[in-house]
Amino acid sequence: MRDRIQWLDAGYIGYDQALGIQLKLHEACWQERRGDAILFQESPPVITLGKSSHRENLLWTTAELDAAGIDVREVGRGGDITYHGPGQLIISPILHFRRFASTALEYLRMLEETVIRLLNGYGVKAGRIGGKTGVWVGENKIAAVGVAVSHSVTMHGIAINVCPDMDHFSAIIPCGLQGMGVTSLEALGCGKPPLSDVRDRWLKAFENIFGVEAAKTEGLEA
């Protein structure tokens, strides 16, 4: 019998509020008060700076960011600079990762594979680029992957570009990678599938790759 992992979709929610939920879930998980979980969200425009970020990769001025309604936050995940916004599905698995992978790198590759299989279902041939994280269509990134691990439990995770405002990505050098582009399902001609549809398809890929059963719950934030 497969292990069961609960998931919660917080819907459209402020990034700070969602991070607060994630931190509570993480603490409850490593303290063994709750099992592993997955948090889904869609957030207002925000640029997040990971542990390896460089401020020079933030290209817009404070005035330009304010005019576009984009906030800036420093976060504890790995990686450089990333944009989140409406039309993007953010997925945060909160897992005892050594139950599924022997190293953090192996865990990252498993997360990437969930997105590759998800996109294949939309007719998009995606893959990896050697030496870089994330999921790519050619030289354009369609999903960013960045995680943190504390007490052997993961946080943060994946951001999949479904139909975000692509102009907002010009505010940054995504993930600090010069000369690389960004794309989305909409930009690739897949229309604007509901984030709930993308979520459900991703969950099936996650269940297959991680060998678990995902079950919806309404109370993970408590």
Side-chain angles (χ1 to χ4, degrees):
M1 184 174 180
R2 290 185 169 192
D3 289 338
R4 176 171 290 195
I5 292 180
Q6 293 182 312
W7 63 269
L8 170 71
D9 193 333
Y12 190 78
I13 185 174
Y15 186 85
D16 293 342
Q17 184 180 356
L19 182 59
I21 295 172
Q22 191 178 170
L23 288 168
K24 288 180 181 178
L25 289 172
H26 182 268
E27 181 178 1
C29 188
W30 71 259
Q31 291 182 352
E32 304 297 340
R33 290 185 284 108
R34 288 191 182 274
D36 294 348
I38 304 168
L39 176 67
F40 296 93
Q41 72 192 76
E42 179 186 17
S43 290
V46 60
I47 289 169
T48 63
L49 305 170
K51 292 181 178 180
S52 303
S53 63
H54 299 84
R55 279 280 177 172
E56 59 266 28
N57 292 326
L58 178 58
L59 304 179
W60 287 7
T61 65
T62 300
E64 289 172 323
L65 293 168
D66 288 345
I70 302 176
D71 292 328
V72 178
R73 295 288 186 272
E74 293 185 2
V75 296
R77 61 163 173 78
D80 204 297
I81 191 168
T82 302
Y83 167 80
H84 299 304
Q88 184 188 75
L89 181 65
I90 303 173
I91 308 169
S92 303
I94 300 156
L95 313 174
H96 291 85
F97 86 95
R98 292 193 183 278
R99 294 177 180 172
F100 308 100
S102 58
T103 66
L105 180 59
E106 182 184 358
Y107 171 67
L108 281 171
R109 294 294 173 259
M110 293 173 71
L111 289 183
E112 291 167 350
E113 185 63 26
T114 64
V115 180
I116 291 170
R117 295 192 189 183
L118 159 75
L119 296 174
N120 185 63
Y122 286 104
V124 174
K125 186 177 181 180
R128 302 178 181 86
I129 293 179
K132 299 177 175 63
T133 60
V135 178
W136 302 77
V137 180
E139 293 189 346
N140 296 312
K141 180 176 280 192
I142 192 168
V145 179
V147 303
V149 180
S150 176
H151 300 281
S152 296
V153 174
T154 64
M155 283 187 62
H156 303 289
I158 308 166
I160 304 172
N161 297 332
V162 180
C163 54
D165 185 339
M166 300 305 289
D167 289 339
H168 282 179
F169 285 94
S170 63
I172 64 174
I173 299 175
C175 302
L177 299 174
Q178 289 278 4
M180 309 299 283
V182 181
T183 192
S184 67
L185 279 171
E186 182 184 23
L188 292 169
C190 298
K192 296 182 178 181
L195 294 193
S196 59
D197 182 71
V198 179
R199 177 201 68 205
D200 292 346
R201 293 185 185 216
W202 180 88
L203 278 168
K204 290 181 181 178
F206 178 84
E207 287 178 325
N208 289 333
I209 292 166
F210 282 75
V212 297
E213 177 186 345
K216 184 178 181 180
T217 184
E218 301 294 342
L220 284 178
E221 74 273 30

